[in-house]
Amino acid sequence: MAIALTIDLGTTNLKVGLVNEDGEILNLRSVAVPVVTSTAGGAEHNPEELKKLILSLSKELLAGGIADEVKYIVSSTYQFGLMLLDEQKKPVTGLTLLTDIRSQRTFNAFLDTYSDVDLYALTGCPLMSPYLLARLFYFSTKEKEVLQKAKYFTDSKAFLFEWLTGEFATDLSTAAATQIYNIHQETWDNFLLSRIGLSATQFPEIKDGTNYLSSLKENLRQELGLKQGVKVLLGVYDGAALAVGLGALKPGVGIINVGTSAMLRVPGTIPAFDKSDNKRIQPYALNEHTFLNGGALNNAALPINWLRNSLFDVDIQDTNMLHIGTDAPLLCFPYLTSERDSKTGPYASGVFFGLRQYHSKTDMARSVLEGVAYSMRYLYDALKENNLQISELRMGGGGTQIKPWPQIFANVLGLPINIPSGEQVALVGSAMLAFVADGRYQDITILDEQMNKSNISIYPDEKVVPIHDQRYQFFKKVRETLAPLYKEHATLTL
């Protein structure tokens, strides 16, 4: 039986696993990835450190004779990663993360520069600062000397694939979240790049990550002790890999991924755009035939981790996290790194609303968990308003390990949520893609039926659904009232 060595490069953690054709994770290693913050507002991964970590974890997994059975290597990676490379494709910078906020400093100037262009219509990406176009604009205005050293530009997916195979290529699902990928022409947009003096030739070739296979570099094959003939699948971004692992590429199946960030998406055969000016929906291409239409949150586990690390520790597994109470609710707008809609998103920051002296740290933590769920409801409303129907929700990601959280999501959305009994669904999803790409299975649907038999179902608590609905309506009103104030607040700098 063939085995896939799967790599999941996340913002916070790196995971490497061995997955067989039955979708079983035979072995797994995980490590936190250090974040470099040497520049004010910067947040990057060191590419050389990533390579060392991947090799170290892989060697641990392959010890004991199983290396001979590995036929594939495939990765899932985070979106919004940008790394500048010199003429020899050596790093000039690290890989930026979602939490890198430097491009917020130049966002107003960025909007002015592209004011005559409908970026959303061209790329499916709303106006927000973490996209690569806004980050490149930052370098072109604030760190010109760094940009002048750069000849090429890569992302997290292309970085790993080039290291593993020598080919400078990225996948559709990663390119779709850059704001420089023209969703209609299915290529890098030279017109957008030319405004900052760049061209499409400086970026990776775009391939279908669900079926593009290449050969592993010989030096890496020998270092890992693998047999000849190991194939490397380009793969997709982490949220898409999770969707595959959840078996959620069917009409009407909504995908919720809750990790450092979060998403709510539903598959479709054509890209969907938000009819509202708020542009809450992003149509990310998974491959040539499937789009993951929906929205995402920059802030999910990120604000709860911030609360516990920077303010106080609190037991987030406490069943009191589900407590409703009779007083006016404490609301949290957990937007530490802005958000992804066009009105509130680019300037949003964190707010606790209704804070009283009797509120405890448990109340504050609960409000963060609820605030993320209310923000997800905001995206769910956008899907319904644009006739993107969801008949079933499947949920994955590290956030499912916070036991009260799936129940909070079910109560706020008013829908049952199915959670796979196994963990590390993105690793399984990546392996599934490799097995299908090389013809071991006809399509992913067969694997879905085989691997997703035992789900845990979380049902809404009908007693609290109307309470959360009322609170969400108020949450939405405050959120939209804050939108212009967020923008004004961003101007109060020296």
Side-chain angles (χ1 to χ4, degrees), residues 7-20:
I7 302 164
D8 181 22
L9 174 56
T11 303
T12 307
N13 295 303
L14 168 69
K15 300 167 188 173
V16 181
L18 295 174
V19 183
N20 67 16

Side-chain angles (χ1 to χ4, degrees), residues 7-47:
I7 302 164
D8 181 22
L9 174 56
T11 303
T12 307
N13 295 303
L14 168 69
K15 300 167 188 173
V16 181
L18 295 174
V19 183
N20 67 16
E21 290 179 58
D22 290 332
E24 299 171 327
I25 297 179
L26 305 178
N27 210 340
L28 173 71
R29 293 291 186 275
S30 178
V31 65
V33 184
V35 176
V36 179
T37 57
S38 55
T39 304
E44 300 177 342
H45 281 162
N46 182 315

